[in-house]
Amino acid sequence: MHARPITSRTVAAGAALGLTAVLALTGCSDSSGVSADGTVEITLAGPNQWSEDGSSFGKPWEDLIARFEKAEPKIKVKTNVLPLNEFSKTLSTQLSAGTAPELVFYQSPHQPYMVHTLDEELAKPNPYVPGNKKWLDLFKEKYFGPEGGINARGKKEYIPFNVVSTGLFYNEAAFTKAGVRAPVKTFADLMTACGKLKQAGYAPLAMDGSDTGIGWTVKTISNMVLDRYYDELNDYAPDGSKGTAETVTIKSWAKAVLTGDIDATKTPEVAESVKLVKQVFDNCATKNWSGIAPSSASVVNARDFSSGKAAMAWGTPFGYGDVAGSKGKVSSMPFPTITKATTPLSTGTPARFGAQVGGTSYMIPSNVKGAKYDAAVKFLQWMSVPANTQKWLDETGALPVLNGSTAPETTKAMGEGDWSDRMKINGQPDGPKGVTVMSMYDGYLLGSKSLDETLKGLQSSWTKRAEEQVKDNEWSGEPWAKG
């Protein structure tokens, strides 16, 4: 009997058999990402938007993942919770190095080539929806239609799980006790309501020392009062080309500031906006608000609101978990509209903030291939079915992005009516890098600076910011940008 000759093919076959045996014993994956039993594990990495928990997105999310894994037993989803102040750097580094996990939070800084574009996938049927012809058709067109959620190259690169917005949470018991009817519709009514709430023993509006409360108040009020300038300022499209945009772009703002079309010291609507912001803080805000440390990333002074001390609080749907256990039933409403009963400079423009895609949205890095890519797409497709995510929406307060889903009762007002439409002016320009919103306004709000001093400071900050933007975006060739 002759010995069987050893050839390279025999060695390869033996190695393959050996690898199969090892995989069978250890459960490890081969190079395609598939385990010996056919299971694919994918990792979703991002910040916890729902609570301060550093280990989980919460039980509603864990239940959601469990239901997906039951529907797709050959796919396992691991959630990697990243610190809110670190996720950006972590995921950006991984995207650049080509080592990012299968699903990453969409706000991670990146170049378009670092992630898969999903337009082709969105043009195909979603296999989880019988009769569906295009995955994209499952989304509300207002938020994620053909023109929504695109990058600078006009491509879709993430899938949203919900819509993000902002509004006022209010305590129904406090309103009832004070004799205030919700929703409060006008700014004049808000001032009256704040007086009644104070008499009933409540801080009318929870505020703290963060930028958030001041920022959202300034943005909302300024957007209404400055609305008359929308057509005059609207010179550039979102891509920087000559044209118009639904919301005045940063390039249009930079031009307006550097040419003097908008001047904080001369444009009367700017001064009026600042004075109205002060009325809110003087008549409604928590006492000693500037010294109160933030207790939530999603609700302004959540501690006072949830304890029943404050009757209203700025917040986002993500903050529902922070206020769900409040003393008294919680609901939401838009910020009231400024009418001519408050100021002759009012145009009657309704209060807007803008519900939009974002929030919990994820993309697939370009380094993800094969079975891992297919599994990531399946998870995103499964998350695009109303029946799969409605329970999660109800339990977290998240606003729906899908046709056929319903908004939770507590937060639905943040995504309805005029309030859900995008701001046209988008408030006032930002200050330069490193300058907080708080530092631009708190002197006037606390009484240590005059209105004139504040307006001069705003103009100086806006000018510095516009100059930074010209440099950062290489707009120096524009006639208005030359110094």
Side-chain angles (χ1 to χ4, degrees), residues 241-290:
S241 63
K242 194 68 177 174
T244 59
E246 185 179 357
T247 297
V248 172
T249 65
I250 60 170
K251 188 173 184 179
S252 292
W253 267 120
K255 177 190 175 186
V257 170
L258 294 179
T259 59
D261 288 341
I262 287 288
D263 187 316
T265 65
K266 298 176 182 178
T267 305
E269 288 79 5
V270 175
E272 191 70 357
S273 296
V274 176
K275 288 190 287 186
L276 292 175
V277 171
K278 184 169 173 58
Q279 284 189 39
V280 171
F281 278 78
D282 285 350
N283 298 325
C284 304
T286 312
K287 286 185 178 180
N288 303 317
W289 55 268
S290 63

mmCIF file of all heavy atoms in Angstrom, residues 241-290:
data_model
loop_
_atom_site.group_PDB
_atom_site.id
_atom_site.type_symbol
_atom_site.label_atom_id
_atom_site.label_comp_id
_atom_site.label_asym_id
_atom_site.label_seq_id
_atom_site.Cartn_x
_atom_site.Cartn_y
_atom_site.Cartn_z
ATOM 1 N N SER A 241 -23.878 77.714 -2.473
ATOM 2 C CA SER A 241 -24.039 78.378 -3.764
ATOM 3 C C SER A 241 -25.046 79.524 -3.643
ATOM 4 O O SER A 241 -25.825 79.580 -2.690
ATOM 5 C CB SER A 241 -24.513 77.386 -4.819
ATOM 6 O OG SER A 241 -25.786 76.864 -4.479
ATOM 7 N N LYS A 242 -25.011 80.429 -4.607
ATOM 8 C CA LYS A 242 -25.958 81.529 -4.604
ATOM 9 C C LYS A 242 -27.367 80.981 -4.753
ATOM 10 O O LYS A 242 -27.635 80.148 -5.621
ATOM 11 C CB LYS A 242 -25.645 82.485 -5.760
ATOM 12 C CG LYS A 242 -26.332 83.830 -5.674
ATOM 13 C CD LYS A 242 -25.809 84.671 -4.533
ATOM 14 C CE LYS A 242 -26.470 86.052 -4.529
ATOM 15 N NZ LYS A 242 -26.072 86.844 -3.344
ATOM 16 N N GLY A 243 -28.261 81.391 -3.879
ATOM 17 C CA GLY A 243 -29.617 80.860 -3.916
ATOM 18 C C GLY A 243 -30.318 81.089 -2.601
ATOM 19 O O GLY A 243 -29.952 82.002 -1.848
ATOM 20 N N THR A 244 -31.302 80.277 -2.321
ATOM 21 C CA THR A 244 -32.069 80.429 -1.087
ATOM 22 C C THR A 244 -32.145 79.095 -0.349
ATOM 23 O O THR A 244 -31.818 78.046 -0.891
ATOM 24 C CB THR A 244 -33.496 80.929 -1.378
ATOM 25 O OG1 THR A 244 -34.165 79.988 -2.244
ATOM 26 C CG2 THR A 244 -33.467 82.291 -2.043
ATOM 27 N N ALA A 245 -32.592 79.169 0.893
ATOM 28 C CA ALA A 245 -32.713 77.972 1.719
ATOM 29 C C ALA A 245 -33.954 78.102 2.599
ATOM 30 O O ALA A 245 -34.443 79.204 2.851
ATOM 31 C CB ALA A 245 -31.473 77.800 2.592
ATOM 32 N N GLU A 246 -34.466 76.967 3.045
ATOM 33 C CA GLU A 246 -35.634 76.984 3.928
ATOM 34 C C GLU A 246 -35.325 77.734 5.217
ATOM 35 O O GLU A 246 -36.164 78.441 5.762
ATOM 36 C CB GLU A 246 -36.067 75.555 4.236
ATOM 37 C CG GLU A 246 -37.332 75.447 5.045
ATOM 38 C CD GLU A 246 -37.743 74.010 5.308
ATOM 39 O OE1 GLU A 246 -37.070 73.084 4.813
ATOM 40 O OE2 GLU A 246 -38.743 73.809 6.030
ATOM 41 N N THR A 247 -34.108 77.562 5.706
ATOM 42 C CA THR A 247 -33.626 78.277 6.885
ATOM 43 C C THR A 247 -32.398 79.075 6.489
ATOM 44 O O THR A 247 -31.518 78.560 5.790
ATOM 45 C CB THR A 247 -33.246 77.292 8.004
ATOM 46 O OG1 THR A 247 -34.416 76.581 8.417
ATOM 47 C CG2 THR A 247 -32.659 78.013 9.198
ATOM 48 N N VAL A 248 -32.322 80.334 6.903
ATOM 49 C CA VAL A 248 -31.165 81.181 6.572
ATOM 50 C C VAL A 248 -29.881 80.466 6.982
ATOM 51 O O VAL A 248 -29.730 80.044 8.129
ATOM 52 C CB VAL A 248 -31.280 82.546 7.282
ATOM 53 C CG1 VAL A 248 -30.001 83.359 7.100
ATOM 54 C CG2 VAL A 248 -32.478 83.315 6.743
ATOM 55 N N THR A 249 -28.960 80.327 6.042
ATOM 56 C CA THR A 249 -27.739 79.556 6.279
ATOM 57 C C THR A 249 -26.697 80.373 7.039
ATOM 58 O O THR A 249 -26.787 81.608 7.135
ATOM 59 C CB THR A 249 -27.133 79.106 4.947
ATOM 60 O OG1 THR A 249 -26.720 80.269 4.207
ATOM 61 C CG2 THR A 249 -28.132 78.306 4.123
ATOM 62 N N ILE A 250 -25.675 79.685 7.531
ATOM 63 C CA ILE A 250 -24.609 80.395 8.240
ATOM 64 C C ILE A 250 -23.853 81.322 7.291
ATOM 65 O O ILE A 250 -23.342 82.368 7.712
ATOM 66 C CB ILE A 250 -23.642 79.425 8.932
ATOM 67 C CG1 ILE A 250 -22.972 78.478 7.921
ATOM 68 C CG2 ILE A 250 -24.341 78.645 10.018
ATOM 69 C CD1 ILE A 250 -21.841 77.669 8.515
ATOM 70 N N LYS A 251 -23.792 80.969 6.021
ATOM 71 C CA LYS A 251 -23.124 81.847 5.058
ATOM 72 C C LYS A 251 -23.934 83.121 4.861
ATOM 73 O O LYS A 251 -23.376 84.226 4.792
ATOM 74 C CB LYS A 251 -22.916 81.129 3.726
ATOM 75 C CG LYS A 251 -22.050 81.911 2.740
ATOM 76 C CD LYS A 251 -21.723 81.088 1.497
ATOM 77 C CE LYS A 251 -20.779 81.844 0.566
ATOM 78 N NZ LYS A 251 -20.442 81.045 -0.640
ATOM 79 N N SER A 252 -25.243 82.980 4.779
ATOM 80 C CA SER A 252 -26.097 84.168 4.662
ATOM 81 C C SER A 252 -25.978 85.043 5.898
ATOM 82 O O SER A 252 -25.929 86.284 5.803
ATOM 83 C CB SER A 252 -27.557 83.745 4.453
ATOM 84 O OG SER A 252 -27.736 83.126 3.199
ATOM 85 N N TRP A 253 -25.926 84.421 7.074
ATOM 86 C CA TRP A 253 -25.757 85.188 8.304
ATOM 87 C C TRP A 253 -24.402 85.896 8.328
ATOM 88 O O TRP A 253 -24.307 87.064 8.725
ATOM 89 C CB TRP A 253 -25.875 84.274 9.526
ATOM 90 C CG TRP A 253 -27.248 84.175 10.110
ATOM 91 C CD1 TRP A 253 -27.998 83.051 10.247
ATOM 92 C CD2 TRP A 253 -28.037 85.241 10.642
ATOM 93 N NE1 TRP A 253 -29.212 83.351 10.827
ATOM 94 C CE2 TRP A 253 -29.259 84.680 11.094
ATOM 95 C CE3 TRP A 253 -27.833 86.618 10.788
ATOM 96 C CZ2 TRP A 253 -30.269 85.452 11.677
ATOM 97 C CZ3 TRP A 253 -28.838 87.380 11.377
ATOM 98 C CH2 TRP A 253 -30.032 86.799 11.812
ATOM 99 N N ALA A 254 -23.353 85.206 7.903
ATOM 100 C CA ALA A 254 -22.032 85.831 7.899
ATOM 101 C C ALA A 254 -22.021 87.065 7.008
ATOM 102 O O ALA A 254 -21.481 88.115 7.377
ATOM 103 C CB ALA A 254 -20.986 84.817 7.419
ATOM 104 N N LYS A 255 -22.631 86.936 5.838
ATOM 105 C CA LYS A 255 -22.704 88.094 4.937
ATOM 106 C C LYS A 255 -23.492 89.233 5.584
ATOM 107 O O LYS A 255 -23.077 90.412 5.535
ATOM 108 C CB LYS A 255 -23.370 87.694 3.618
ATOM 109 C CG LYS A 255 -23.544 88.877 2.664
ATOM 110 C CD LYS A 255 -24.407 88.528 1.473
ATOM 111 C CE LYS A 255 -24.648 89.786 0.634
ATOM 112 N NZ LYS A 255 -25.605 89.551 -0.471
ATOM 113 N N ALA A 256 -24.632 88.910 6.186
ATOM 114 C CA ALA A 256 -25.477 89.941 6.786
ATOM 115 C C ALA A 256 -24.749 90.696 7.885
ATOM 116 O O ALA A 256 -24.849 91.930 7.998
ATOM 117 C CB ALA A 256 -26.745 89.303 7.341
ATOM 118 N N VAL A 257 -23.980 89.982 8.694
ATOM 119 C CA VAL A 257 -23.253 90.609 9.804
ATOM 120 C C VAL A 257 -22.113 91.478 9.276
ATOM 121 O O VAL A 257 -21.927 92.631 9.704
ATOM 122 C CB VAL A 257 -22.710 89.540 10.768
ATOM 123 C CG1 VAL A 257 -21.746 90.152 11.780
ATOM 124 C CG2 VAL A 257 -23.864 88.852 11.498
ATOM 125 N N LEU A 258 -21.333 90.961 8.326
ATOM 126 C CA LEU A 258 -20.157 91.693 7.845
ATOM 127 C C LEU A 258 -20.509 92.867 6.939
ATOM 128 O O LEU A 258 -19.721 93.797 6.800
ATOM 129 C CB LEU A 258 -19.214 90.730 7.116
ATOM 130 C CG LEU A 258 -18.581 89.654 8.011
ATOM 131 C CD1 LEU A 258 -17.673 88.737 7.199
ATOM 132 C CD2 LEU A 258 -17.795 90.287 9.162
ATOM 133 N N THR A 259 -21.694 92.843 6.341
ATOM 134 C CA THR A 259 -22.118 93.978 5.516
ATOM 135 C C THR A 259 -22.963 94.974 6.293
ATOM 136 O O THR A 259 -23.270 96.060 5.789
ATOM 137 C CB THR A 259 -22.945 93.490 4.307
ATOM 138 O OG1 THR A 259 -24.093 92.769 4.787
ATOM 139 C CG2 THR A 259 -22.115 92.602 3.394
ATOM 140 N N GLY A 260 -23.358 94.602 7.518
ATOM 141 C CA GLY A 260 -24.183 95.497 8.315
ATOM 142 C C GLY A 260 -25.666 95.382 8.033
ATOM 143 O O GLY A 260 -26.462 96.180 8.537
ATOM 144 N N ASP A 261 -26.066 94.388 7.232
ATOM 145 C CA ASP A 261 -27.497 94.197 6.990
ATOM 146 C C ASP A 261 -28.226 93.861 8.283
ATOM 147 O O ASP A 261 -29.412 94.173 8.449
ATOM 148 C CB ASP A 261 -27.722 93.071 5.964
ATOM 149 C CG ASP A 261 -27.332 93.493 4.552
ATOM 150 O OD1 ASP A 261 -27.237 94.709 4.305
ATOM 151 O OD2 ASP A 261 -27.113 92.601 3.704
ATOM 152 N N ILE A 262 -27.523 93.185 9.182
ATOM 153 C CA ILE A 262 -28.022 92.955 10.538
ATOM 154 C C ILE A 262 -26.953 93.468 11.497
ATOM 155 O O ILE A 262 -25.780 93.105 11.382
ATOM 156 C CB ILE A 262 -28.281 91.465 10.812
ATOM 157 C CG1 ILE A 262 -29.531 91.007 10.077
ATOM 158 C CG2 ILE A 262 -28.427 91.193 12.302
ATOM 159 C CD1 ILE A 262 -30.835 91.536 10.658
ATOM 160 N N ASP A 263 -27.361 94.338 12.396
ATOM 161 C CA ASP A 263 -26.428 94.908 13.368
ATOM 162 C C ASP A 263 -27.135 94.938 14.720
ATOM 163 O O ASP A 263 -28.190 95.565 14.857
ATOM 164 C CB ASP A 263 -26.021 96.323 12.944
ATOM 165 C CG ASP A 263 -24.921 96.908 13.811
ATOM 166 O OD1 ASP A 263 -24.993 96.768 15.050
ATOM 167 O OD2 ASP A 263 -23.991 97.530 13.266
ATOM 168 N N ALA A 264 -26.585 94.258 15.685
ATOM 169 C CA ALA A 264 -27.243 94.163 16.995
ATOM 170 C C ALA A 264 -27.484 95.529 17.621
ATOM 171 O O ALA A 264 -28.439 95.708 18.377
ATOM 172 C CB ALA A 264 -26.409 93.289 17.926
ATOM 173 N N THR A 265 -26.631 96.495 17.293
ATOM 174 C CA THR A 265 -26.764 97.819 17.906
ATOM 175 C C THR A 265 -27.716 98.731 17.137
ATOM 176 O O THR A 265 -28.084 99.796 17.636
ATOM 177 C CB THR A 265 -25.391 98.510 18.003
ATOM 178 O OG1 THR A 265 -24.884 98.764 16.686
ATOM 179 C CG2 THR A 265 -24.404 97.640 18.770
ATOM 180 N N LYS A 266 -28.104 98.319 15.923
ATOM 181 C CA LYS A 266 -28.936 99.195 15.084
ATOM 182 C C LYS A 266 -30.255 98.562 14.645
ATOM 183 O O LYS A 266 -31.201 99.275 14.325
ATOM 184 C CB LYS A 266 -28.147 99.619 13.846
ATOM 185 C CG LYS A 266 -26.888 100.414 14.149
ATOM 186 C CD LYS A 266 -26.114 100.723 12.875
ATOM 187 C CE LYS A 266 -24.822 101.477 13.184
ATOM 188 N NZ LYS A 266 -24.027 101.740 11.946
ATOM 189 N N THR A 267 -30.313 97.252 14.569
ATOM 190 C CA THR A 267 -31.530 96.574 14.126
ATOM 191 C C THR A 267 -32.493 96.478 15.304
ATOM 192 O O THR A 267 -32.223 95.762 16.279
ATOM 193 C CB THR A 267 -31.199 95.160 13.599
ATOM 194 O OG1 THR A 267 -30.208 95.254 12.576
ATOM 195 C CG2 THR A 267 -32.442 94.485 13.047
ATOM 196 N N PRO A 268 -33.607 97.185 15.272
ATOM 197 C CA PRO A 268 -34.476 97.262 16.455
ATOM 198 C C PRO A 268 -35.020 95.917 16.914
ATOM 199 O O PRO A 268 -35.234 95.706 18.115
ATOM 200 C CB PRO A 268 -35.608 98.200 16.010
ATOM 201 C CG PRO A 268 -35.557 98.204 14.519
ATOM 202 C CD PRO A 268 -34.121 97.998 14.153
ATOM 203 N N GLU A 269 -35.218 94.985 15.973
ATOM 204 C CA GLU A 269 -35.773 93.685 16.344
ATOM 205 C C GLU A 269 -34.804 92.863 17.201
ATOM 206 O O GLU A 269 -35.230 92.003 17.979
ATOM 207 C CB GLU A 269 -36.168 92.896 15.097
ATOM 208 C CG GLU A 269 -37.400 93.406 14.382
ATOM 209 C CD GLU A 269 -37.126 94.621 13.499
ATOM 210 O OE1 GLU A 269 -35.923 95.004 13.372
ATOM 211 O OE2 GLU A 269 -38.072 95.176 12.932
ATOM 212 N N VAL A 270 -33.503 93.124 17.059
ATOM 213 C CA VAL A 270 -32.536 92.416 17.897
ATOM 214 C C VAL A 270 -32.692 92.859 19.350
ATOM 215 O O VAL A 270 -32.778 92.033 20.265
ATOM 216 C CB VAL A 270 -31.087 92.659 17.413
ATOM 217 C CG1 VAL A 270 -30.089 92.012 18.378
ATOM 218 C CG2 VAL A 270 -30.890 92.119 16.006
ATOM 219 N N ALA A 271 -32.734 94.170 19.551
ATOM 220 C CA ALA A 271 -32.916 94.699 20.907
ATOM 221 C C ALA A 271 -34.230 94.221 21.505
ATOM 222 O O ALA A 271 -34.305 93.844 22.687
ATOM 223 C CB ALA A 271 -32.867 96.221 20.888
ATOM 224 N N GLU A 272 -35.282 94.197 20.688
ATOM 225 C CA GLU A 272 -36.590 93.767 21.176
ATOM 226 C C GLU A 272 -36.553 92.294 21.593
ATOM 227 O O GLU A 272 -37.130 91.910 22.618
ATOM 228 C CB GLU A 272 -37.656 93.982 20.096
ATOM 229 C CG GLU A 272 -39.080 93.820 20.573
ATOM 230 C CD GLU A 272 -39.528 94.952 21.501
ATOM 231 O OE1 GLU A 272 -38.726 95.851 21.825
ATOM 232 O OE2 GLU A 272 -40.694 94.931 21.922
ATOM 233 N N SER A 273 -35.853 91.472 20.820
ATOM 234 C CA SER A 273 -35.733 90.058 21.170
ATOM 235 C C SER A 273 -35.049 89.876 22.517
ATOM 236 O O SER A 273 -35.497 89.092 23.363
ATOM 237 C CB SER A 273 -34.914 89.318 20.093
ATOM 238 O OG SER A 273 -35.569 89.329 18.854
ATOM 239 N N VAL A 274 -33.970 90.616 22.723
ATOM 240 C CA VAL A 274 -33.218 90.500 23.974
ATOM 241 C C VAL A 274 -34.080 90.953 25.152
ATOM 242 O O VAL A 274 -34.069 90.325 26.226
ATOM 243 C CB VAL A 274 -31.915 91.312 23.896
ATOM 244 C CG1 VAL A 274 -31.168 91.268 25.225
ATOM 245 C CG2 VAL A 274 -31.013 90.775 22.785
ATOM 246 N N LYS A 275 -34.844 92.000 24.967
ATOM 247 C CA LYS A 275 -35.713 92.479 26.048
ATOM 248 C C LYS A 275 -36.806 91.459 26.379
ATOM 249 O O LYS A 275 -37.168 91.271 27.550
ATOM 250 C CB LYS A 275 -36.342 93.825 25.656
ATOM 251 C CG LYS A 275 -35.347 94.980 25.677
ATOM 252 C CD LYS A 275 -36.020 96.330 25.526
ATOM 253 C CE LYS A 275 -36.516 96.566 24.124
ATOM 254 N NZ LYS A 275 -37.051 97.946 23.951
ATOM 255 N N LEU A 276 -37.325 90.784 25.361
ATOM 256 C CA LEU A 276 -38.356 89.773 25.603
ATOM 257 C C LEU A 276 -37.779 88.553 26.316
ATOM 258 O O LEU A 276 -38.446 87.941 27.165
ATOM 259 C CB LEU A 276 -39.012 89.360 24.285
ATOM 260 C CG LEU A 276 -39.870 90.448 23.619
ATOM 261 C CD1 LEU A 276 -40.374 89.972 22.252
ATOM 262 C CD2 LEU A 276 -41.053 90.823 24.503
ATOM 263 N N VAL A 277 -36.545 88.201 25.991
ATOM 264 C CA VAL A 277 -35.881 87.105 26.702
ATOM 265 C C VAL A 277 -35.767 87.461 28.183
ATOM 266 O O VAL A 277 -36.017 86.627 29.064
ATOM 267 C CB VAL A 277 -34.493 86.811 26.101
ATOM 268 C CG1 VAL A 277 -33.717 85.825 26.975
ATOM 269 C CG2 VAL A 277 -34.630 86.260 24.683
ATOM 270 N N LYS A 278 -35.412 88.712 28.450
ATOM 271 C CA LYS A 278 -35.289 89.147 29.855
ATOM 272 C C LYS A 278 -36.642 89.077 30.569
ATOM 273 O O LYS A 278 -36.705 88.727 31.759
ATOM 274 C CB LYS A 278 -34.715 90.558 29.935
ATOM 275 C CG LYS A 278 -34.472 91.027 31.381
ATOM 276 C CD LYS A 278 -33.656 92.306 31.430
ATOM 277 C CE LYS A 278 -33.557 92.865 32.849
ATOM 278 N NZ LYS A 278 -32.958 91.890 33.799
ATOM 279 N N GLN A 279 -37.720 89.398 29.870
ATOM 280 C CA GLN A 279 -39.047 89.283 30.490
ATOM 281 C C GLN A 279 -39.321 87.853 30.940
ATOM 282 O O GLN A 279 -39.875 87.611 32.012
ATOM 283 C CB GLN A 279 -40.136 89.731 29.507
ATOM 284 C CG GLN A 279 -40.246 91.236 29.340
ATOM 285 C CD GLN A 279 -41.479 91.625 28.542
ATOM 286 O OE1 GLN A 279 -42.544 91.023 28.699
ATOM 287 N NE2 GLN A 279 -41.343 92.627 27.688
ATOM 288 N N VAL A 280 -38.916 86.888 30.104
ATOM 289 C CA VAL A 280 -39.116 85.482 30.461
ATOM 290 C C VAL A 280 -38.338 85.150 31.730
ATOM 291 O O VAL A 280 -38.869 84.532 32.661
ATOM 292 C CB VAL A 280 -38.685 84.557 29.308
ATOM 293 C CG1 VAL A 280 -38.691 83.096 29.757
ATOM 294 C CG2 VAL A 280 -39.595 84.746 28.101
ATOM 295 N N PHE A 281 -37.077 85.576 31.789
ATOM 296 C CA PHE A 281 -36.244 85.253 32.946
ATOM 297 C C PHE A 281 -36.689 86.019 34.193
ATOM 298 O O PHE A 281 -36.653 85.477 35.304
ATOM 299 C CB PHE A 281 -34.771 85.502 32.632
ATOM 300 C CG PHE A 281 -34.134 84.364 31.899
ATOM 301 C CD1 PHE A 281 -34.346 84.181 30.536
ATOM 302 C CD2 PHE A 281 -33.339 83.434 32.556
ATOM 303 C CE1 PHE A 281 -33.779 83.111 29.852
ATOM 304 C CE2 PHE A 281 -32.771 82.357 31.893
ATOM 305 C CZ PHE A 281 -32.996 82.194 30.540
ATOM 306 N N ASP A 282 -37.106 87.258 34.016
ATOM 307 C CA ASP A 282 -37.544 88.044 35.175
ATOM 308 C C ASP A 282 -38.863 87.527 35.755
ATOM 309 O O ASP A 282 -39.041 87.479 36.980
ATOM 310 C CB ASP A 282 -37.729 89.512 34.779
ATOM 311 C CG ASP A 282 -36.405 90.246 34.601
ATOM 312 O OD1 ASP A 282 -35.358 89.674 34.973
ATOM 313 O OD2 ASP A 282 -36.420 91.376 34.074
ATOM 314 N N ASN A 283 -39.793 87.156 34.891
ATOM 315 C CA ASN A 283 -41.149 86.827 35.337
ATOM 316 C C ASN A 283 -41.410 85.340 35.531
ATOM 317 O O ASN A 283 -42.371 84.975 36.223
ATOM 318 C CB ASN A 283 -42.176 87.376 34.340
ATOM 319 C CG ASN A 283 -42.120 88.890 34.220
ATOM 320 O OD1 ASN A 283 -41.858 89.586 35.200
ATOM 321 N ND2 ASN A 283 -42.349 89.405 33.023
ATOM 322 N N CYS A 284 -40.573 84.502 34.923
ATOM 323 C CA CYS A 284 -40.900 83.074 34.915
ATOM 324 C C CYS A 284 -39.811 82.154 35.461
ATOM 325 O O CYS A 284 -40.116 81.084 35.998
ATOM 326 C CB CYS A 284 -41.221 82.625 33.484
ATOM 327 S SG CYS A 284 -42.542 83.573 32.669
ATOM 328 N N ALA A 285 -38.558 82.531 35.328
ATOM 329 C CA ALA A 285 -37.466 81.595 35.619
ATOM 330 C C ALA A 285 -37.293 81.314 37.104
ATOM 331 O O ALA A 285 -37.616 82.140 37.963
ATOM 332 C CB ALA A 285 -36.158 82.130 35.052
ATOM 333 N N THR A 286 -36.760 80.132 37.397
ATOM 334 C CA THR A 286 -36.418 79.744 38.760
ATOM 335 C C THR A 286 -35.516 80.797 39.401
ATOM 336 O O THR A 286 -34.612 81.332 38.750
ATOM 337 C CB THR A 286 -35.646 78.409 38.736
ATOM 338 O OG1 THR A 286 -36.338 77.483 37.909
ATOM 339 C CG2 THR A 286 -35.481 77.849 40.125
ATOM 340 N N LYS A 287 -35.749 81.100 40.678
ATOM 341 C CA LYS A 287 -34.882 82.042 41.377
ATOM 342 C C LYS A 287 -33.447 81.499 41.410
ATOM 343 O O LYS A 287 -33.237 80.307 41.560
ATOM 344 C CB LYS A 287 -35.372 82.259 42.817
ATOM 345 C CG LYS A 287 -36.620 83.117 42.925
ATOM 346 C CD LYS A 287 -36.965 83.370 44.390
ATOM 347 C CE LYS A 287 -38.182 84.262 44.526
ATOM 348 N NZ LYS A 287 -38.518 84.513 45.954
ATOM 349 N N ASN A 288 -32.503 82.423 41.290
ATOM 350 C CA ASN A 288 -31.078 82.050 41.346
ATOM 351 C C ASN A 288 -30.721 80.977 40.314
ATOM 352 O O ASN A 288 -29.867 80.129 40.549
ATOM 353 C CB ASN A 288 -30.700 81.562 42.757
ATOM 354 C CG ASN A 288 -30.997 82.589 43.816
ATOM 355 O OD1 ASN A 288 -30.727 83.779 43.637
ATOM 356 N ND2 ASN A 288 -31.584 82.152 44.924
ATOM 357 N N TRP A 289 -31.371 81.032 39.145
ATOM 358 C CA TRP A 289 -31.185 80.025 38.096
ATOM 359 C C TRP A 289 -29.729 79.886 37.665
ATOM 360 O O TRP A 289 -29.272 78.791 37.331
ATOM 361 C CB TRP A 289 -32.049 80.368 36.886
ATOM 362 C CG TRP A 289 -31.828 81.756 36.344
ATOM 363 C CD1 TRP A 289 -32.520 82.876 36.691
ATOM 364 C CD2 TRP A 289 -30.845 82.170 35.404
ATOM 365 N NE1 TRP A 289 -32.033 83.979 36.022
ATOM 366 C CE2 TRP A 289 -30.997 83.567 35.213
ATOM 367 C CE3 TRP A 289 -29.853 81.510 34.692
ATOM 368 C CZ2 TRP A 289 -30.190 84.299 34.347
ATOM 369 C CZ3 TRP A 289 -29.046 82.244 33.821
ATOM 370 C CH2 TRP A 289 -29.220 83.618 33.661
ATOM 371 N N SER A 290 -28.981 80.990 37.655
ATOM 372 C CA SER A 290 -27.612 80.950 37.122
ATOM 373 C C SER A 290 -26.683 80.080 37.956
ATOM 374 O O SER A 290 -25.661 79.596 37.467
ATOM 375 C CB SER A 290 -27.034 82.359 37.003
ATOM 376 O OG SER A 290 -26.935 82.966 38.279
#
